[in-house]
Amino acid sequence: MIAYHEADAEAASKKLWEVWHAVWPFMESTDASVRKAVAQSLDSLTQCFTPSITASAIKEKQSNEGKSTLRKVIAQTTKALDSLAFARSTPEILLVVSSLLSHLRFRQDGQGSPTAAEELLLLSVKKIADLRLQKGFEYKESADATLSVAMGVLGPEVLLRELPLNLDVADRQAGREPRAFLLPMLSQPHPSPLSHFVSYFVPFTERMFDLQAKAEAEGRPSEAKVWSVLVDQVWSGLHGYCYGTPDLKEALTPQFSQLLSQLLYSQPNLRPAVLKALRLMVESNVAIASGDGERLAKLPEGARADPISQEAASANVAFLRTQCESWLAVLFNVFTSVGRDGQGMVGDVIRAWASIADEKEINKAYHKLVNLLNQNVVKAQATSATKESESVTGMTLDLLILMSPYFSSSDATNLFNLCLASDILESRDNAVQKRGYKVLSKVVESGKVNVDAEDILQRLDKVTDGLTAAAKKDRFLLLTLLVARIPPTSLHLVPSIIPEAVLGTKEPSEKARNAAFDLIVTMGKKMAEGGVVKRNLVDGMDEDSAGEAKASIEEYMTMIAGGLAGATPHMISATITAISRLVFEFKDDISPQMHVEIFTTLLVFLTSANREIVKSTLGYVKLAIHTMPVELLRPHLKEIVPALLKWSHDHKNHFKAKVRHIFERLLRRFGWEDVYSCATEDSARKVLLNIKKRKDRAKRKRARAAENDEEDEEPTAKPAAGDAFEDVLYGSESELDDSDDEMPSGRQDRAGKRKDNGGARLRVDDDEPMDLLAGAASRITSANGKKRRKPGEDAARFKTDEDTGKMVIGDEQDEDENMEEDVAGRAYRESLTSADGFTRGPNGRVKFNKDTKKRRRENEDGEDVEMADAEASSGRKSKRKSDPKLGHEFKAKKAGGDVKKGGVDPYAYLPLSQAAKKKGRKERLGVAGKR
């Protein structure tokens, strides 16, 4: 970078030209890497063109002079586009033009004046567009990239004035080639005002709609599809006009707003483009008006390069606020009419417009939605309720969820009480129940409602009978928010929530299970904060136990442990799982005595005959061995080892693998001698010896792999799954390190099924250094890299010519080996198909082939061919003499008919015994050695 000051701008300009002129000739290099380096250097130089240098170049343009550095640089670059010497450098030259466009996007006289790029580079852009239209032009992608930069810097209003699209029917003339490739470039931030889209593209798309309808009516579907694609491309570029447009008030007229509304209702394929434009219209102006750097950083770079002033953006926001009522009504209608997949995008637009709406408009929207909800709830209660009314109720609740952050305190309170009604929480529709709980969670989380946790929890306790599985996750989330708001004097409410939360840990839905675990942990934290548990207010508490207890984590663990006396194995198993989570979460807050009591109590359940209980207990034992101190576990080794060995031969539910992993952890923490001494039976010791052998075998295998350099990377521990409790309870490092082919490595889920670790790896290329700060995303792969071949590994197996270094693929020795293999193959086939061959039946008995005429003829033909090949190879011309056939003496000499000897036919009186002897024929040995 060349340093300069405004005082010596002329000297700096001359220095720039000297450097540019010295570097430019290298652009003719035949080496692509050299040309790329030159383009990067010239890109750095374009950053040195300051406003003063640019201003002098613009003045020279107006006076038709060309002495300034910038004018000479642009002329040299443009001239090179037509030069044969720079033909191979066209992509690099286009990159230089893109750099000039990017660094000359500033305006000389403020907002509304032409940019420097428009003053100086418009002819260069036009030349590039002309090259793009040539059929033999090879670098269309590079040209499109440069034209896209020009579209973002100059804007379609300027660019299309010089480069018309020529897509109308009237434009189909010679010399007016269509430029449809410009349409996809509209979908980026640019400085053109929204009024240009209204005046130029709206009439254009109307003509395209007419042509599309005409083509469909006349039976030309291909042509109709072309017009449809053009319309889609135009409207996909609408949002490029909406990034802080300066003429929003003049462009967003009632007529244009009505057109957008009609497109949202009637054109599903154009709906995403219109929704995106409406959202960015609000978000971009709000970000610019706020001046918040974090909000501005979310805008694209093109929108930040030449933004409007904060005053203009604030005026735009004020104008949009006046349009909120009508647009929210339109968006509500669209939300209820689109499918489930399309509601997310509409919801984002609703949030954007609701964020700038006045409280009065929000209140109107609230009352409209609540009235609609009440109407459909009444319809749903009727005996003749239809699915349509239930679906409308669900969608209305979705809209209330979207609008809930913007409701006033009074509206939020009314909505909270409305959704607490049994009509919502006990609805027959799963979606209504789920959304009802979600509305309650959103309102509580917003903090706009004064929550009486005791009253709400009691009301929620009465609506559990009709609770559906789909609503459990949101119910757990609501209970978690309410538990955090329980006052310290009302902790007697916690025991009433425990059974539901504990059973929730066994839900089939993973999200519901995680929500249940969060609820259990939240209750534990609430009890750990201290307070009073009034036992006389706890349901089902005996009078003898009445009184007050000090809240603590151990008191909470005692409450949870009451589920171990449950009437069903499902409840007992869920309780063990809940205790495991609490032990993991509060292991430092629980006293050693409580740790021992919990461990000894749960260890008894390993003797249970119920597999569900045993499965949860094995998970707890694994976690306890991982988290509890060694001094607390060592006294119980003699109880742990026999209890685990009982399940070491059970394959169901993967108990054998689970037990093996637990023993591997025991061996790591206590050593071989301590664990082995606790196994008294021979069968138990065999199991431990087998585990030890497996570990030793795995270590030797890794050592051999390291010596032979078979692996590209060192064995690593299993990657974390994101949840530490899940990793400890259901995962194991030994599953990756020490497991053999019987149990492939991978984490097991709750059902005991193996899951692929799915860890991402970095793909290493030894020939290229890796930048871990940039570009690493292109090197991430999920493929197993242990047996990946190195570049050139296969090529190293071939011989190379000493002089040229070329690989020698085949030689005479290889051909001889192939011939030997071919001979062996022919001999095997002959043993199966020839008259002298044999086969074996299913019982192993030998069955010789039948000596048929066909087999003999095939053998003789094969021998003739072999003989001919042998004679040809030896260079001798000889004819194989066949053996005399039976009756050859009676052969016709002159083909005059049947020959008779002694007045009789030769075969008429020939004895069959003589014919069977086949005199004169030599015996042959077959391949199998049979005569």
Side-chain angles (χ1 to χ4, degrees):
M1 186 68 67
I2 300 175
Y4 65 92
H5 300 282
E6 291 295 332
D8 57 350
E10 184 176 355
S13 178
K14 292 181 180 180
K15 186 65 176 179
L16 276 173
W17 172 245
E18 292 177 2
V19 176
W20 187 285
H21 191 65
V23 174
W24 183 260
F26 291 97
M27 191 67 80
E28 301 183 40
S29 173
T30 58
D31 191 348
S33 61
V34 174
R35 298 196 302 269
K36 185 177 180 180
V38 172
Q40 293 175 350
S41 301
L42 297 179
D43 177 43
S44 301
L45 289 176
T46 57
Q47 302 178 28
C48 301
F49 294 126
T50 61
S52 60
I53 297 176
T54 306
S56 62
I58 293 175
K59 291 179 181 179
E60 286 186 1
K61 179 190 176 186
Q62 297 172 353
S63 60
N64 294 326
E65 297 180 2
K67 297 181 180 180
S68 69
T69 298
L70 184 54
R71 294 273 293 163
K72 289 189 287 186
V73 164
I74 295 174
Q76 187 181 49
T77 305
T78 306
K79 184 179 179 182
L81 291 172
D82 294 330
S83 176
L84 183 62
F86 292 92
R88 67 169 64 91
S89 306
T90 301
E92 289 76 18
I93 296 174
L94 292 174
L95 286 175
V96 174
V97 176
S98 300
S99 301
L100 289 170
L101 286 166
S102 300
H103 296 119
L104 297 178
R105 67 189 311 158
F106 54 84
R107 303 177 185 274
Q108 292 292 320
D109 300 325
Q111 191 72 30
S113 63
T115 61
E118 180 181 351
E119 295 281 356
L120 300 173
L121 291 169
L122 200 55
L123 292 178
S124 300
V125 173
K126 189 174 181 180
K127 181 180 287 292
I128 294 172
D130 293 338
L131 288 174
R132 173 66 173 77
L133 290 174
Q134 296 179 7
K135 294 183 179 180
F137 187 65
E138 300 179 2
Y139 307 105
K140 292 185 178 181
E141 293 183 1
S142 301
D144 287 343
T146 303
L147 291 174
S148 180
V149 175
M151 183 70 76
V153 173
L154 303 176
E157 184 179 22
V158 175
L159 197 62
L160 296 181
R161 188 168 56 240
E162 298 295 331
L163 303 173
L165 293 174
N166 296 332
L167 294 176
D168 288 328
V169 178
D171 296 328
R172 296 179 181 176
Q173 302 175 9
R176 303 183 67 178
E177 291 80 4
R179 297 187 177 92
F181 55 84
L182 294 175
L183 291 180
M185 304 174 188
L186 296 173
S187 58
Q188 59 177 320
H190 52 71
S192 294
L194 181 59
S195 57
H196 176 259
F197 185 90
V198 177
S199 61
Y200 184 90
F201 281 112
V202 169
F204 174 80
T205 54
E206 290 177 353
R207 295 193 298 272
M208 296 299 107
F209 271 124
D210 295 338
L211 292 172
Q212 178 185 352
K214 182 180 178 180
E216 291 176 349
E218 296 178 357
R220 300 193 303 273
S222 300
E223 182 181 347
K225 183 63 177 177
V226 171
W227 300 124
S228 175
V229 170
L230 293 177
V231 171
D232 291 347
Q233 290 180 343
V234 169
W235 283 100
S236 296
L238 173 61
H239 69 270
Y241 288 87
C242 299
Y243 287 96
T245 179
D247 62 339
L248 181 62
K249 187 175 181 180
E250 294 78 13
L252 194 61
T253 60
Q255 294 78 13
F256 185 55
S257 299
Q258 184 179 4
L259 174 62
L260 296 179
S261 302
Q262 292 176 354
L263 293 177
L264 289 175
Y265 289 132
S266 59
Q267 298 293 332
N269 55 328
L270 301 182
R271 188 179 294 144
V274 177
L275 289 173
K276 186 174 183 180
L278 291 173
R279 178 175 59 83
L280 293 176
M281 193 181 297
V282 175
E283 292 179 351
S284 60
N285 284 288
V286 170
I288 298 173
S290 65
D292 187 6
E294 185 177 353
R295 286 187 174 184
L296 290 173
K298 296 180 180 179
L299 297 178
E301 183 179 358
R304 302 194 306 267
D306 188 21
I308 60 176
S309 63
Q310 289 190 4
E311 292 77 10
S314 300
N316 287 342
V317 173
F319 170 73
L320 292 174
R321 189 174 289 114
T322 63
Q323 307 292 316
C324 283
E325 182 180 1
S326 58
W327 276 115
L328 285 176
V330 172
L331 293 171
F332 288 167
N333 293 333
V334 174
F335 186 89
T336 56
S337 62
V338 300
R340 189 70 185 164
D341 296 335
Q343 290 179 349
M345 181 175 290
V346 185
D348 294 338
V349 185
I350 291 175
R351 289 192 191 94
W353 282 85
S355 64
I356 63 172
D358 292 331
E359 184 177 353
K360 181 180 178 181
E361 307 298 336
I362 297 295
N363 184 261
K364 289 181 180 179
Y366 165 76
H367 285 292
K368 288 181 181 179
L369 294 175
V370 168
N371 292 335
L372 182 62
L373 177 64
N374 291 329
Q375 293 174 6
N376 287 279
V377 167
V378 173
K379 292 181 181 179
Q381 291 177 345
T383 55
S384 59
T386 61
K387 291 185 178 180
E388 182 179 358
S389 61
E390 293 179 351
S391 62
V392 173
T393 304
M395 287 187 289
T396 306
L397 288 170
D398 284 332
L399 290 173
L400 288 170
I401 293 171
L402 292 172
M403 299 290 293
S404 60
Y406 313 105
F407 290 153
S408 61
S409 298
S410 59
D411 291 342
T413 303
N414 294 333
L415 178 62
F416 187 82
N417 295 327
L418 175 63
C419 292
L420 269 178
S422 59
D423 297 338
I424 302 295
L425 299 185
E426 293 183 335
S427 175
R428 295 174 299 179
D429 188 5
N430 296 344
V432 174
Q433 274 196 28
K434 179 179 180 180
R435 287 160 178 78
Y437 281 107
K438 187 172 291 187
V439 169
L440 295 174
S441 301
K442 291 289 185 181
V443 174
V444 172
E445 192 174 7
S446 65
K448 296 180 180 180
V449 179
N450 295 324
V451 178
D452 185 358
E454 183 174 358
D455 178 58
I456 296 173
L457 288 173
Q458 290 176 356
R459 294 173 65 179
L460 290 176
D461 190 44
K462 299 177 182 178
V463 295
T464 57
D465 295 337
L467 183 65
T468 60
K472 288 186 177 180
K473 182 202 74 170
D474 297 289
R475 179 179 170 88
F476 290 146
L477 293 177
L478 175 61
L479 292 176
T480 302
L481 294 172
L482 294 175
V483 165
R485 289 165 171 78
I486 295 177
T489 57
S490 301
L491 293 180
H492 58 276
L493 298 172
V494 172
S496 62
I497 309 174
I498 288 177
E500 183 179 357
V502 169
L503 288 174
T505 62
K506 305 290 284 186
E507 284 293 323
S509 172
E510 182 180 1
K511 293 182 179 179
R513 290 197 306 268
N514 293 337
F517 278 123
D518 293 340
L519 175 58
I520 291 173
V521 173
T522 302
M523 288 189 291
K525 292 179 179 179
K526 190 67 180 179
M527 293 287 291
E529 293 175 359
V532 177
V533 179
K534 300 176 182 178
R535 294 178 175 175
N536 59 332
L537 298 179
V538 178
D539 294 338
M541 183 65 67
D542 297 335
E543 295 181 0
D544 298 337
S545 303
E548 294 184 354
K550 185 179 180 181
S552 64
I553 187 61
E554 295 189 359
E555 178 69 19
Y556 178 61
M557 294 287 291
T558 304
M559 296 178 183
I560 294 286
L564 296 176
T568 61
H570 188 74
M571 182 63 186
I572 298 174
S573 174
T575 302
I576 295 173
T577 304
I579 291 175
S580 302
R581 178 58 186 263
L582 291 174
V583 169
F584 176 81
E585 194 73 27
F586 301 99
K587 57 182 179 295
D588 298 330
D589 300 328
I590 299 175
S591 64
Q593 181 181 359
M594 175 64 74
H595 269 299
V596 174
E597 290 180 2
I598 294 173
F599 185 81
T600 54
T601 301
L602 297 186
L603 194 62
V604 177
F605 287 97
L606 280 179
T607 60
S608 173
N610 185 274
R611 294 182 177 276
E612 186 179 7
I613 297 176
V614 174
K615 181 180 178 181
S616 299
T617 308
L618 288 175
Y620 167 77
V621 172
K622 180 190 291 188
L623 182 134
I625 293 172
H626 185 273
T627 58
M628 288 180 62
V630 176
E631 56 273 11
L632 295 181
L633 288 175
R634 191 179 298 277
H636 303 282
L637 270 180
K638 294 183 179 180
E639 303 172 6
I640 299 173
V641 174
L644 291 175
L645 288 173
K646 176 184 176 182
W647 300 99
S648 60
H649 299 286
D650 197 320
H651 290 273
K652 292 183 179 180
N653 299 99
H654 302 276
F655 281 174
K656 180 178 180 180
K658 292 176 182 291
V659 171
R660 188 177 75 241
H661 298 151
I662 294 174
F663 273 120
E664 290 170 358
R665 293 193 177 193
L666 280 174
L667 292 174
R668 290 176 181 175
R669 298 205 71 184
F670 297 99
W672 166 255
E673 296 297 336
D674 292 344
V675 177
Y676 186 74
S677 62
C678 296
T680 56
E681 300 180 359
D682 293 339
S683 59
R685 294 189 173 186
K686 289 181 180 179
V687 173
L688 294 177
L689 288 172
N690 183 27
I691 294 174
K692 186 175 184 299
K693 290 179 181 179
R694 292 162 63 92
K695 291 176 63 68
D696 295 341
R697 183 167 61 248
K699 290 180 181 179
R700 290 194 301 269
K701 185 177 180 180
R702 289 198 299 269
R704 288 195 302 268
E707 293 176 358
N708 299 332
D709 197 23
E710 293 178 353
E711 295 182 353
D712 293 339
E713 57 185 12
E714 293 294 331
T716 56
K718 178 179 68 65
D723 190 336
F725 174 70
E726 295 275 344
D727 292 336
V728 174
L729 191 60
Y730 300 106
S732 175
E733 293 180 0
S734 60
E735 294 179 45
L736 183 67
D737 296 340
D738 300 334
S739 297
D740 59 2
D741 295 337
E742 180 183 353
M743 281 290 296
S745 63
R747 190 166 71 95
Q748 293 182 346
D749 62 3
R750 298 176 188 275
K753 297 179 181 179
R754 292 189 297 273
K755 289 185 178 180
D756 186 10
N757 288 331
R761 296 181 175 85
L762 287 176
R763 186 171 55 253
V764 181
D765 189 352
D766 296 336
D767 297 333
E768 182 181 355
M770 180 180 295
D771 186 1
L772 294 177
L773 298 179
S778 61
R779 296 180 176 272
I780 293 178
T781 177
S782 59
N784 192 347
K786 291 186 176 181
K787 296 183 179 179
R788 180 174 175 266
R789 293 183 178 180
K790 296 181 179 180
E793 181 179 356
D794 293 336
R797 300 176 181 176
F798 295 98
K799 298 180 180 179
T800 56
D801 187 89
E802 296 180 358
D803 298 332
T804 62
K806 296 182 178 180
M807 290 187 298
V808 180
I809 304 300
D811 53 13
E812 296 180 357
Q813 182 179 358
D814 296 337
E815 295 178 359
D816 294 342
E817 293 176 357
N818 293 336
M819 291 178 62
E820 292 177 1
E821 293 177 359
D822 191 28
V823 170
R826 288 201 305 270
Y828 173 70
R829 288 194 297 271
E830 185 177 352
S831 68
L832 295 178
T833 60
S834 68
D836 299 325
F838 65 91
T839 57
R840 291 185 181 273
N843 54 0
R845 296 180 61 183
V846 175
K847 181 180 180 181
F848 292 97
N849 297 335
K850 293 182 178 180
D851 188 11
T852 61
K853 292 182 179 180
K854 182 179 180 181
R855 291 186 185 276
R856 289 196 301 269
R857 184 166 61 251
E858 291 176 352
N859 292 341
E860 290 175 0
D861 293 341
E863 292 174 0
D864 292 341
V865 173
E866 293 175 3
M867 182 63 70
D869 293 341
E871 291 174 355
S873 62
S874 62
R876 290 179 290 118
K877 295 182 179 180
S878 62
K879 185 177 180 180
R880 179 177 178 270
K881 295 181 180 181
S882 60
D883 297 333
K885 296 183 179 180
L886 188 64
H888 68 281
E889 63 271 19
F890 300 102
K891 183 178 180 182
K893 301 297 189 294
K894 296 182 180 180
D898 293 336
V899 177
K900 295 184 179 182
K901 190 173 184 180
V904 296
D905 292 330
Y907 282 90
Y909 301 99
L910 185 66
L912 294 176
S913 58
Q914 183 180 355
K917 291 181 179 178
K918 301 180 182 179
K919 293 182 178 180
R921 183 175 180 179
K922 298 180 179 179
E923 295 180 348
R924 295 183 300 169
L925 287 175
V927 176
K930 177 185 175 184
R931 293 183 182 274

